[in-house]
Amino acid sequence: MTPPGSLIGLLGGGQLARMSALAGRRMGYRFRTFDPAGEAAPAAPVCERVVRAPFDDPAALEEFARGLDVVGFEFENIPPASLRIVERFCPVHPRWQALEICQHREREKNFLHGQGFPHAAFRVVTTLAELTHAVATLGAPCVLKTAESGYDGKGQLKITPGMGLAEAWEQWSGGRPRRGVVEAWVEFDAELSVICARNGHGQTVSFPVFENVHAQHILDVSIAPARFAPEVLREAVALAEAVTEALDVRGLLAVEMFLTREGKLLVNELAPRPHNSGHLTFDACVTSQFEQHIRAVCGLPLGGVDLLRPTVMVNLLGDLWRADGSAPDWTPVLAEPDAKLHVYGKAGAKPARKMGHFCVLGKAGQPVEAVLAKAREIQERLRAK
Ligand code: AMP
């Protein structure tokens, strides 16, 4: 167990590291982060030190790791070899093997398939001929997704019936060799996620299921409690815990799923770190996902995850920022006594960039629909400003 007072290293200094460090500092932990953006990284102001270097710089990784008690990460696209360098100096959680699977869509799908977890049908493609074969087998519509470095719909192309595949391949690959995964189109009723924590001492704790709504492939809103039948909620948690166990994660694992029109759960994506859909836990649960991240990585007993009040989280993207780079007028959020504003302190606002979020908390026992309506109203008023 790594007790409060210890120095924790976080690879990646984005908002997930910032919120993990904020939660950990409250418990007495100290933090160092590693980020190519250096002092401009959102976590830098809440860490004692930031090491600024590319994620594959061995000398910088060694400099970062020396003197740390334990290391976690918040960013998926860190080379597993970099975790292995850090591991020579101090323990890293989750282990590099889990990261290696989750950061690569082909390995992730093969893992899910090999372990017998439910997922959308898929084919791996590296050429136009393979794409043609995959579309013939899976049918259109389907989605072509990049195997590596894809997030928030980046590197994805929906293939519709009758679409010219040669042009599609050219557009997607840019004429360069590229590995992709073609997924059958899922007619889903809803999207959901379960964030599980394991502490390496036999304890696994899952947050309540979050219901997620995406807009333009990016998470827009998360809703808790999720509005699904009790057996769906139970099945989602059991599935997520089985995946977390199979990956032998010590830390957090977010498991994103589709609930199909037939009522079946399919695993879509895995993330071995805090997850955007869990941001509402900061305001709405006994223990936040960020504190749980620190507890799990440090091998502490895990905290309780009860949802205290119905809550809706809304992402704040760079689209809301003004042309001169200034932040929007936050009055619509601030004027609502049961809303919480979180701004990540990122310098450059760009369309689709996650700049912050807000949560609206309902009264205990209030239907979450009313909370959702209030959150949507605030979102509209921010957009209109
Ligand atoms: P991903 O990057 O895989 O999480 O995809 C981003 C979003 O695109 C998902 O949250 C879904 O809303 C949508 N999406 C991804 N894959 C599929 C699919 N196979 N069928 C239908 N919608 C999908």
Side-chain angles (χ1 to χ4, degrees), residues 105 120 143 145 151-153 156 183-188 191 214 217 256 258 268-269:
R105 212 179 280 274
V143 208
K145 298 183 178 182
Y151 67 99
D152 289 344
Q156 292 191 16
E183 259 178 52
W185 190 253
V186 179
E187 294 292 350
F188 57 78
E191 293 185 80
H214 290 77
H217 296 280
E256 288 186 81
F258 298 124
N268 176 31
E269 276 212 294

Side-chain angles (χ1 to χ4, degrees), residues 269-312:
E269 276 212 294
L270 308 175
R273 54 166 172 79
H275 191 257
N276 195 170
S277 63
H279 288 3
L280 61 82
T281 60
F282 222 160
D283 299 310
C285 290
V286 173
T287 305
S288 72
Q289 65 162 346
F290 304 105
E291 179 178 333
Q292 202 75 305
H293 180 207
I294 300 306
R295 283 175 175 259
V297 163
C298 291
L300 306 189
L302 299 174
V305 290
D306 287 350
L307 181 71
L308 301 171
R309 289 161 68 171
T311 300
V312 171

